[in-house]
Amino acid sequence: MRKMSLSLIAIIMMLAFVLSACGTDKPEDGGKSAATGTDAGGTKKPEDFRGEITVWKGYNDVSELFMKKYPNVKVKMDTPEKPEDKFTTALATGTGAPDVIDLSQAHFFKYKAMDGLENLLDAPYNAGFMKKDFLDLAWNMSTSLDGKRLFGIPWRITPYVMFYRADIFEENGYPSDPDAVGKLVADPNKFFEMAQKLRAKGHYFFRKAEEVTDVASPGVGYYDGNLTYLRNTDSYASAIDYAKRAAQLDLIFPGEKEEQDRALNSGKLVTYFGGVYRLSTFQIDEKGNKGSLSENQGKWRMTSLPFGQTPGLGFGTYVIPSQSKNKEIAWEYIKFAVTDPEAQAIFMKTADLSPYRPARSLPMVANTAEKAMGGQKVLQYGFQLMDKMVYTSGNPLDEKASSVWTKLLNEGLTKNQDSRAVLKTIMDETEKSVSVEKEALKKKLGK
């Protein structure tokens, strides 16, 4: 038998999910209220659990901590290469999946309409009682396309931010305080005025043209829950205009990854855009391991993005495949990883911020002064930005849509085409590219 492509597997599984979901209309909490919701563990103590689970893409330190608290459980951290591809194949074939996997922002949307994942709203999980403790947008991102199934529990969601060289800003007469810089760069004209002045002194601001459109975009996906295309708006036209302006002012550094890192460490590139979790890139950890941008300790700061947008960048959700051989312990592991204060402390060492609301009240959030950022309280600042954040909820059509977007956006920027014309071309080509999958979803979901 010929091997099926992963995209074909995904389409088959998506249709299977939609068909199975048509007859289901279960309450959000699986029939349990927040006050009475129970879980697979019942009243068992950690030492009562016995067995072994396999976790893909988890934190080793969190797994070690879990095994200390659950002394009769073994956690195998046995992540293969290309784990999401292997996981998709395992769901399709019915064998080979781990007990738990962390699905990241680059992959979770594929599973919003797939079968083969446990619905955590159902017994014995009854996870609906947990919803009040999580940010709505993170919970929704872990919810199936039809809104009836919770396929994961989110553990990370971080704002998209700008890291900047505070010393260089200050030397050139600009503020260095994060709030003041955030206010300054939110104004497109003031941002480009400053960038042009610093460019005259040899500094750059962006690593590639599409990075400008990323930071200037409103943070939505490609399709909403009604399968309506979302990226043909004034906000996206403005984002393309900003990218063209950045190119005209020569603000985009002409180099690949290694050259970019050297430019960032030397001060030639004065900004770096990424999720808050990119803090680890600037850190020197307690063992002396150095991040690739750690040469200027104390000279960097973190603030909100230019152009006034507040997208997110960095999402993770833990899921349990239905073929798991030890769902009870898998569920214990997930609850521990996303709610235990010591597990949260491990995540937050590298600024992996949690959508679990109680995590904000941990002492380290208010007390941690980050050395790499000149003593800035990065965790506290990140949670403040999180409250303003917009994040795509994800859609199975996103993978193809993203490929079309990247290809045609780069072509439009290279040719300096009209922004509205670029958006129209992208929309038309995207609709054509996803037409088969879209019609199947619309029909089966009654859209």
Side-chain angles (χ1 to χ4, degrees), residues 345-404:
I346 291 172
F347 294 140
M348 284 196 278
K349 281 183 180 179
T350 51
D352 272 325
L353 304 184
S354 174
Y356 181 61
R357 296 181 191 276
R360 299 182 180 210
S361 61
L362 293 176
M364 69 180 300
V365 174
N367 298 337
T368 301
E370 177 53 52
K371 181 180 178 182
M373 298 286 129
Q376 183 182 2
K377 294 186 175 181
V378 170
L379 300 178
Q380 192 173 62
Y381 196 80
F383 279 119
Q384 291 171 5
L385 294 177
M386 188 187 290
D387 290 331
K388 307 172 185 176
M389 189 170 61
V390 177
Y391 213 128
T392 172
S393 62
N395 191 294
L397 305 178
D398 285 357
E399 186 168 25
K400 279 191 174 182
S402 176
S403 296
V404 174

Short mmCIF file of all heavy atoms in Angstrom, two decimals, residues 345-404:
data_model
loop_
_atom_site.label_atom_id
_atom_site.label_comp_id
_atom_site.label_asym_id
_atom_site.label_seq_id
_atom_site.Cartn_x
_atom_site.Cartn_y
_atom_site.Cartn_z
N ALA A 345 7.04 27.44 38.34
CA ALA A 345 8.32 28.13 38.56
C ALA A 345 9.37 27.68 37.55
O ALA A 345 10.19 28.48 37.10
CB ALA A 345 8.80 27.87 39.99
N ILE A 346 9.34 26.40 37.19
CA ILE A 346 10.27 25.89 36.18
C ILE A 346 10.00 26.55 34.83
O ILE A 346 10.92 27.00 34.14
CB ILE A 346 10.15 24.35 36.07
CG1 ILE A 346 10.71 23.70 37.34
CG2 ILE A 346 10.89 23.84 34.83
CD1 ILE A 346 10.46 22.20 37.42
N PHE A 347 8.73 26.61 34.44
CA PHE A 347 8.38 27.25 33.18
C PHE A 347 8.81 28.72 33.16
O PHE A 347 9.34 29.22 32.17
CB PHE A 347 6.86 27.19 32.93
CG PHE A 347 6.32 25.80 32.74
CD1 PHE A 347 5.10 25.43 33.29
CD2 PHE A 347 7.00 24.86 31.99
CE1 PHE A 347 4.58 24.16 33.10
CE2 PHE A 347 6.50 23.58 31.80
CZ PHE A 347 5.28 23.23 32.35
N MET A 348 8.59 29.40 34.27
CA MET A 348 8.81 30.84 34.27
C MET A 348 10.26 31.25 34.40
O MET A 348 10.59 32.42 34.27
CB MET A 348 7.94 31.50 35.35
CG MET A 348 6.49 31.58 34.93
SD MET A 348 5.47 32.71 35.90
CE MET A 348 5.08 31.68 37.30
N LYS A 349 11.15 30.29 34.64
CA LYS A 349 12.57 30.62 34.62
C LYS A 349 12.98 31.18 33.26
O LYS A 349 13.89 32.00 33.17
CB LYS A 349 13.41 29.38 34.94
CG LYS A 349 13.49 29.03 36.41
CD LYS A 349 14.42 27.84 36.62
CE LYS A 349 14.52 27.46 38.09
NZ LYS A 349 15.40 26.27 38.28
N THR A 350 12.33 30.69 32.22
CA THR A 350 12.61 31.19 30.87
C THR A 350 11.42 31.96 30.31
O THR A 350 11.23 32.04 29.09
CB THR A 350 12.98 30.02 29.93
OG1 THR A 350 11.98 29.00 30.02
CG2 THR A 350 14.32 29.42 30.32
N ALA A 351 10.60 32.49 31.21
CA ALA A 351 9.47 33.36 30.84
C ALA A 351 8.44 32.65 29.97
O ALA A 351 7.83 33.28 29.09
CB ALA A 351 9.97 34.64 30.17
N ASP A 352 8.23 31.36 30.19
CA ASP A 352 7.09 30.68 29.59
C ASP A 352 5.89 30.99 30.47
O ASP A 352 5.66 30.34 31.49
CB ASP A 352 7.33 29.17 29.53
CG ASP A 352 8.05 28.75 28.27
OD1 ASP A 352 7.80 29.37 27.22
OD2 ASP A 352 8.86 27.81 28.33
N LEU A 353 5.12 32.00 30.09
CA LEU A 353 4.02 32.49 30.91
C LEU A 353 2.79 31.61 30.76
O LEU A 353 2.46 31.15 29.66
CB LEU A 353 3.68 33.93 30.53
CG LEU A 353 4.82 34.94 30.60
CD1 LEU A 353 4.32 36.33 30.29
CD2 LEU A 353 5.51 34.91 31.96
N SER A 354 2.10 31.40 31.86
CA SER A 354 0.96 30.49 31.88
C SER A 354 -0.36 31.24 31.79
O SER A 354 -0.54 32.30 32.40
CB SER A 354 0.99 29.68 33.17
OG SER A 354 -0.18 28.88 33.28
N PRO A 355 -1.34 30.67 31.06
CA PRO A 355 -2.69 31.22 31.06
C PRO A 355 -3.49 30.83 32.29
O PRO A 355 -4.64 31.22 32.43
CB PRO A 355 -3.30 30.63 29.79
CG PRO A 355 -2.62 29.30 29.65
CD PRO A 355 -1.22 29.51 30.15
N TYR A 356 -2.88 30.04 33.18
CA TYR A 356 -3.50 29.63 34.44
C TYR A 356 -3.45 30.82 35.40
O TYR A 356 -2.39 31.24 35.85
CB TYR A 356 -2.74 28.43 35.00
CG TYR A 356 -3.26 27.86 36.30
CD1 TYR A 356 -4.56 27.34 36.39
CD2 TYR A 356 -2.45 27.83 37.43
CE1 TYR A 356 -5.03 26.80 37.58
CE2 TYR A 356 -2.91 27.29 38.62
CZ TYR A 356 -4.20 26.78 38.70
OH TYR A 356 -4.66 26.25 39.89
N ARG A 357 -4.60 31.39 35.67
CA ARG A 357 -4.66 32.67 36.39
C ARG A 357 -3.92 32.68 37.73
O ARG A 357 -3.23 33.66 38.06
CB ARG A 357 -6.12 33.08 36.59
CG ARG A 357 -6.88 33.34 35.29
CD ARG A 357 -8.31 33.77 35.56
NE ARG A 357 -9.13 33.78 34.36
CZ ARG A 357 -9.18 34.79 33.49
NH1 ARG A 357 -8.45 35.87 33.70
NH2 ARG A 357 -9.96 34.72 32.43
N PRO A 358 -4.03 31.63 38.57
CA PRO A 358 -3.33 31.67 39.85
C PRO A 358 -1.82 31.80 39.74
O PRO A 358 -1.17 32.23 40.70
CB PRO A 358 -3.72 30.33 40.50
CG PRO A 358 -5.06 30.01 39.91
CD PRO A 358 -4.95 30.46 38.49
N ALA A 359 -1.25 31.47 38.59
CA ALA A 359 0.21 31.57 38.43
C ALA A 359 0.69 33.01 38.59
O ALA A 359 1.83 33.25 38.99
CB ALA A 359 0.61 31.02 37.06
N ARG A 360 -0.16 33.96 38.30
CA ARG A 360 0.23 35.36 38.39
C ARG A 360 0.55 35.80 39.82
O ARG A 360 1.27 36.78 40.03
CB ARG A 360 -0.88 36.27 37.85
CG ARG A 360 -1.21 36.03 36.40
CD ARG A 360 -2.28 36.99 35.95
NE ARG A 360 -2.62 36.78 34.54
CZ ARG A 360 -3.05 37.74 33.75
NH1 ARG A 360 -3.19 38.97 34.21
NH2 ARG A 360 -3.34 37.49 32.49
N SER A 361 -0.02 35.08 40.78
CA SER A 361 0.17 35.50 42.18
C SER A 361 1.38 34.83 42.83
O SER A 361 1.65 35.06 44.01
CB SER A 361 -1.09 35.17 42.99
OG SER A 361 -1.34 33.77 42.99
N LEU A 362 2.12 34.03 42.07
CA LEU A 362 3.32 33.42 42.63
C LEU A 362 4.35 34.50 42.97
O LEU A 362 4.52 35.47 42.21
CB LEU A 362 3.93 32.43 41.63
CG LEU A 362 3.11 31.18 41.33
CD1 LEU A 362 3.80 30.35 40.25
CD2 LEU A 362 2.91 30.35 42.59
N PRO A 363 5.04 34.38 44.09
CA PRO A 363 6.00 35.42 44.51
C PRO A 363 7.04 35.75 43.45
O PRO A 363 7.45 36.91 43.32
CB PRO A 363 6.64 34.81 45.76
CG PRO A 363 5.59 33.88 46.31
CD PRO A 363 4.90 33.31 45.10
N MET A 364 7.48 34.77 42.67
CA MET A 364 8.54 35.03 41.70
C MET A 364 8.11 36.00 40.61
O MET A 364 8.95 36.67 40.00
CB MET A 364 9.04 33.73 41.07
CG MET A 364 8.07 33.04 40.15
SD MET A 364 8.77 31.49 39.46
CE MET A 364 10.22 32.08 38.60
N VAL A 365 6.80 36.11 40.34
CA VAL A 365 6.32 37.04 39.32
C VAL A 365 6.64 38.47 39.72
O VAL A 365 7.16 39.27 38.92
CB VAL A 365 4.81 36.86 39.08
CG1 VAL A 365 4.29 37.94 38.12
CG2 VAL A 365 4.51 35.48 38.53
N ALA A 366 6.36 38.82 40.97
CA ALA A 366 6.61 40.19 41.45
C ALA A 366 8.06 40.41 41.86
O ALA A 366 8.56 41.54 41.82
CB ALA A 366 5.69 40.51 42.62
N ASN A 367 8.75 39.32 42.23
CA ASN A 367 10.08 39.48 42.82
C ASN A 367 11.25 39.28 41.87
O ASN A 367 12.36 39.74 42.16
CB ASN A 367 10.24 38.50 43.99
CG ASN A 367 9.26 38.76 45.11
OD1 ASN A 367 8.74 39.87 45.25
ND2 ASN A 367 8.97 37.75 45.91
N THR A 368 11.02 38.63 40.73
CA THR A 368 12.14 38.32 39.85
C THR A 368 12.57 39.55 39.05
O THR A 368 11.81 40.07 38.24
CB THR A 368 11.79 37.18 38.88
OG1 THR A 368 11.44 36.02 39.64
CG2 THR A 368 12.96 36.86 37.97
N ALA A 369 13.79 39.99 39.29
CA ALA A 369 14.41 41.08 38.52
C ALA A 369 15.41 40.43 37.56
O ALA A 369 16.41 39.87 37.99
CB ALA A 369 15.10 42.06 39.45
N GLU A 370 15.11 40.51 36.28
CA GLU A 370 15.90 39.78 35.29
C GLU A 370 17.22 40.49 34.98
O GLU A 370 17.24 41.61 34.46
CB GLU A 370 15.08 39.60 34.00
CG GLU A 370 15.81 38.92 32.87
CD GLU A 370 16.41 37.59 33.28
OE1 GLU A 370 15.69 36.75 33.84
OE2 GLU A 370 17.62 37.41 33.02
N LYS A 371 18.32 39.83 35.29
CA LYS A 371 19.65 40.40 35.10
C LYS A 371 19.91 40.77 33.64
O LYS A 371 20.46 41.84 33.34
CB LYS A 371 20.71 39.42 35.58
CG LYS A 371 22.14 39.92 35.45
CD LYS A 371 23.14 38.89 35.95
CE LYS A 371 24.58 39.39 35.78
NZ LYS A 371 25.56 38.37 36.24
N ALA A 372 19.53 39.88 32.72
CA ALA A 372 19.78 40.14 31.30
C ALA A 372 19.07 41.39 30.80
O ALA A 372 19.50 42.03 29.84
CB ALA A 372 19.35 38.94 30.47
N MET A 373 17.96 41.76 31.49
CA MET A 373 17.17 42.91 31.10
C MET A 373 17.38 44.09 32.06
O MET A 373 16.48 44.91 32.26
CB MET A 373 15.68 42.55 31.07
CG MET A 373 15.35 41.47 30.06
SD MET A 373 15.38 42.04 28.35
CE MET A 373 16.45 40.81 27.59
N GLY A 374 18.54 44.16 32.68
CA GLY A 374 18.86 45.30 33.55
C GLY A 374 18.01 45.38 34.79
O GLY A 374 17.76 46.47 35.31
N GLY A 375 17.54 44.21 35.28
CA GLY A 375 16.72 44.20 36.48
C GLY A 375 15.24 44.39 36.23
O GLY A 375 14.45 44.46 37.18
N GLN A 376 14.83 44.46 34.97
CA GLN A 376 13.41 44.61 34.65
C GLN A 376 12.63 43.40 35.16
O GLN A 376 13.08 42.26 35.07
CB GLN A 376 13.21 44.74 33.14
CG GLN A 376 11.75 44.96 32.73
CD GLN A 376 11.56 45.04 31.22
OE1 GLN A 376 12.52 44.89 30.45
NE2 GLN A 376 10.34 45.28 30.78
N LYS A 377 11.44 43.63 35.67
CA LYS A 377 10.57 42.55 36.13
C LYS A 377 9.77 42.02 34.94
O LYS A 377 8.61 42.37 34.72
CB LYS A 377 9.67 43.03 37.27
CG LYS A 377 10.48 43.38 38.53
CD LYS A 377 9.60 43.72 39.71
CE LYS A 377 10.45 43.95 40.96
NZ LYS A 377 9.63 44.28 42.15
N VAL A 378 10.44 41.18 34.18
CA VAL A 378 9.93 40.72 32.90
C VAL A 378 8.65 39.89 33.05
O VAL A 378 7.72 40.02 32.25
CB VAL A 378 11.02 39.91 32.16
CG1 VAL A 378 10.44 39.20 30.94
CG2 VAL A 378 12.15 40.83 31.73
N LEU A 379 8.60 39.03 34.06
CA LEU A 379 7.41 38.20 34.23
C LEU A 379 6.18 39.07 34.51
O LEU A 379 5.12 38.88 33.92
CB LEU A 379 7.62 37.21 35.38
CG LEU A 379 8.78 36.23 35.23
CD1 LEU A 379 8.89 35.35 36.49
CD2 LEU A 379 8.60 35.36 34.00
N GLN A 380 6.34 40.00 35.41
CA GLN A 380 5.24 40.89 35.76
C GLN A 380 4.79 41.70 34.54
O GLN A 380 3.59 41.85 34.27
CB GLN A 380 5.69 41.82 36.89
CG GLN A 380 4.60 42.61 37.56
CD GLN A 380 5.13 43.37 38.77
OE1 GLN A 380 6.00 44.23 38.64
NE2 GLN A 380 4.63 43.05 39.95
N TYR A 381 5.76 42.22 33.80
CA TYR A 381 5.46 43.01 32.61
C TYR A 381 4.77 42.15 31.55
O TYR A 381 3.82 42.58 30.89
CB TYR A 381 6.74 43.62 32.05
CG TYR A 381 6.52 44.75 31.08
CD1 TYR A 381 6.23 46.04 31.54
CD2 TYR A 381 6.59 44.55 29.70
CE1 TYR A 381 6.03 47.09 30.65
CE2 TYR A 381 6.39 45.59 28.81
CZ TYR A 381 6.11 46.85 29.30
OH TYR A 381 5.90 47.89 28.41
N GLY A 382 5.23 40.91 31.40
CA GLY A 382 4.63 40.01 30.43
C GLY A 382 3.18 39.71 30.73
O GLY A 382 2.34 39.69 29.82
N PHE A 383 2.86 39.49 32.00
CA PHE A 383 1.46 39.23 32.36
C PHE A 383 0.59 40.46 32.12
O PHE A 383 -0.58 40.35 31.75
CB PHE A 383 1.36 38.79 33.82
CG PHE A 383 1.66 37.33 34.04
CD1 PHE A 383 2.71 36.93 34.84
CD2 PHE A 383 0.89 36.35 33.43
CE1 PHE A 383 2.99 35.58 35.04
CE2 PHE A 383 1.15 35.00 33.62
CZ PHE A 383 2.21 34.61 34.43
N GLN A 384 1.15 41.65 32.31
CA GLN A 384 0.39 42.87 32.02
C GLN A 384 0.05 42.96 30.54
O GLN A 384 -1.07 43.31 30.15
CB GLN A 384 1.20 44.10 32.46
CG GLN A 384 1.34 44.24 33.96
CD GLN A 384 2.32 45.33 34.36
OE1 GLN A 384 2.86 46.06 33.51
NE2 GLN A 384 2.59 45.45 35.65
N LEU A 385 1.02 42.62 29.69
CA LEU A 385 0.78 42.64 28.25
C LEU A 385 -0.21 41.55 27.84
O LEU A 385 -0.99 41.72 26.89
CB LEU A 385 2.09 42.45 27.49
CG LEU A 385 3.13 43.57 27.61
CD1 LEU A 385 4.40 43.19 26.85
CD2 LEU A 385 2.57 44.88 27.07
N MET A 386 -0.20 40.43 28.56
CA MET A 386 -1.08 39.31 28.24
C MET A 386 -2.55 39.72 28.28
O MET A 386 -3.38 39.23 27.49
CB MET A 386 -0.83 38.14 29.19
CG MET A 386 -1.55 36.85 28.82
SD MET A 386 -1.39 35.55 30.06
CE MET A 386 0.35 35.13 29.89
N ASP A 387 -2.90 40.62 29.18
CA ASP A 387 -4.30 41.03 29.32
C ASP A 387 -4.81 41.79 28.10
O ASP A 387 -6.02 41.90 27.90
CB ASP A 387 -4.46 41.90 30.58
CG ASP A 387 -4.31 41.09 31.86
OD1 ASP A 387 -4.62 39.89 31.84
OD2 ASP A 387 -3.85 41.67 32.86
N LYS A 388 -3.89 42.32 27.29
CA LYS A 388 -4.28 43.07 26.09
C LYS A 388 -4.16 42.23 24.82
O LYS A 388 -4.47 42.70 23.73
CB LYS A 388 -3.38 44.31 25.94
CG LYS A 388 -3.32 45.20 27.16
CD LYS A 388 -2.27 46.28 26.98
CE LYS A 388 -2.09 47.11 28.25
NZ LYS A 388 -1.01 48.10 28.14
N MET A 389 -3.75 41.00 24.98
CA MET A 389 -3.32 40.18 23.85
C MET A 389 -4.48 39.66 23.02
O MET A 389 -5.53 39.30 23.52
CB MET A 389 -2.49 39.03 24.40
CG MET A 389 -1.79 38.20 23.36
SD MET A 389 -0.62 37.05 24.14
CE MET A 389 -1.73 36.08 25.16
N VAL A 390 -4.24 39.59 21.71
CA VAL A 390 -5.14 38.96 20.76
C VAL A 390 -4.40 37.76 20.18
O VAL A 390 -3.22 37.85 19.84
CB VAL A 390 -5.52 39.92 19.62
CG1 VAL A 390 -6.40 39.21 18.58
CG2 VAL A 390 -6.22 41.14 20.18
N TYR A 391 -5.07 36.63 20.08
CA TYR A 391 -4.41 35.42 19.58
C TYR A 391 -5.39 34.63 18.74
O TYR A 391 -6.54 34.45 19.12
CB TYR A 391 -3.92 34.56 20.74
CG TYR A 391 -2.63 33.79 20.48
CD1 TYR A 391 -1.56 33.86 21.36
CD2 TYR A 391 -2.50 32.98 19.36
CE1 TYR A 391 -0.39 33.16 21.14
CE2 TYR A 391 -1.35 32.27 19.12
CZ TYR A 391 -0.29 32.36 20.01
OH TYR A 391 0.86 31.66 19.78
N THR A 392 -4.92 34.15 17.59
CA THR A 392 -5.78 33.35 16.73
C THR A 392 -6.25 32.09 17.46
O THR A 392 -5.49 31.47 18.20
CB THR A 392 -5.04 32.92 15.45
OG1 THR A 392 -5.84 31.99 14.74
CG2 THR A 392 -3.71 32.26 15.78
N SER A 393 -7.51 31.72 17.27
CA SER A 393 -8.03 30.51 17.91
C SER A 393 -7.67 29.26 17.13
O SER A 393 -7.79 28.16 17.62
CB SER A 393 -9.55 30.61 18.04
OG SER A 393 -10.15 30.69 16.76
N GLY A 394 -7.19 29.41 15.90
CA GLY A 394 -6.74 28.27 15.12
C GLY A 394 -7.83 27.64 14.28
O GLY A 394 -9.01 27.64 14.65
N ASN A 395 -7.43 27.10 13.13
CA ASN A 395 -8.38 26.52 12.19
C ASN A 395 -7.63 25.49 11.34
O ASN A 395 -6.47 25.73 10.97
CB ASN A 395 -8.96 27.63 11.32
CG ASN A 395 -10.13 27.18 10.48
OD1 ASN A 395 -9.99 26.35 9.60
ND2 ASN A 395 -11.31 27.72 10.77
N PRO A 396 -8.24 24.36 11.02
CA PRO A 396 -7.54 23.37 10.20
C PRO A 396 -7.12 23.88 8.82
O PRO A 396 -6.27 23.26 8.17
CB PRO A 396 -8.57 22.24 10.07
CG PRO A 396 -9.44 22.38 11.26
CD PRO A 396 -9.54 23.86 11.50
N LEU A 397 -7.70 24.99 8.37
CA LEU A 397 -7.33 25.55 7.07
C LEU A 397 -6.05 26.38 7.14
O LEU A 397 -5.51 26.78 6.11
CB LEU A 397 -8.47 26.42 6.54
CG LEU A 397 -9.85 25.78 6.43
CD1 LEU A 397 -10.87 26.80 5.93
CD2 LEU A 397 -9.82 24.57 5.51
N ASP A 398 -5.56 26.63 8.36
CA ASP A 398 -4.45 27.57 8.54
C ASP A 398 -3.16 27.13 7.87
O ASP A 398 -2.38 27.98 7.41
CB ASP A 398 -4.18 27.80 10.03
CG ASP A 398 -5.23 28.69 10.69
OD1 ASP A 398 -6.13 29.17 9.98
OD2 ASP A 398 -5.15 28.89 11.92
N GLU A 399 -2.88 25.84 7.83
CA GLU A 399 -1.59 25.39 7.30
C GLU A 399 -1.43 25.78 5.84
O GLU A 399 -0.41 26.36 5.45
CB GLU A 399 -1.45 23.88 7.48
CG GLU A 399 -0.07 23.38 7.09
CD GLU A 399 0.18 21.95 7.52
OE1 GLU A 399 -0.80 21.20 7.68
OE2 GLU A 399 1.35 21.58 7.70
N LYS A 400 -2.43 25.47 5.03
CA LYS A 400 -2.35 25.86 3.62
C LYS A 400 -2.40 27.37 3.47
O LYS A 400 -1.68 27.95 2.66
CB LYS A 400 -3.49 25.20 2.83
CG LYS A 400 -3.24 23.76 2.43
CD LYS A 400 -4.28 23.29 1.42
CE LYS A 400 -3.95 21.90 0.90
NZ LYS A 400 -4.93 21.45 -0.12
N ALA A 401 -3.26 28.01 4.25
CA ALA A 401 -3.40 29.46 4.17
C ALA A 401 -2.08 30.16 4.51
O ALA A 401 -1.70 31.14 3.87
CB ALA A 401 -4.52 29.93 5.09
N SER A 402 -1.39 29.64 5.50
CA SER A 402 -0.12 30.23 5.91
C SER A 402 0.93 30.14 4.81
O SER A 402 1.69 31.08 4.58
CB SER A 402 0.38 29.52 7.18
OG SER A 402 1.65 30.00 7.55
N SER A 403 0.96 29.01 4.12
CA SER A 403 1.93 28.85 3.03
C SER A 403 1.68 29.84 1.91
O SER A 403 2.61 30.45 1.38
CB SER A 403 1.87 27.41 2.49
OG SER A 403 2.24 26.49 3.48
N VAL A 404 0.40 30.01 1.57
CA VAL A 404 0.05 30.97 0.51
C VAL A 404 0.41 32.39 0.96
O VAL A 404 0.98 33.18 0.18
CB VAL A 404 -1.45 30.88 0.17
CG1 VAL A 404 -1.85 31.98 -0.82
CG2 VAL A 404 -1.79 29.50 -0.40
#
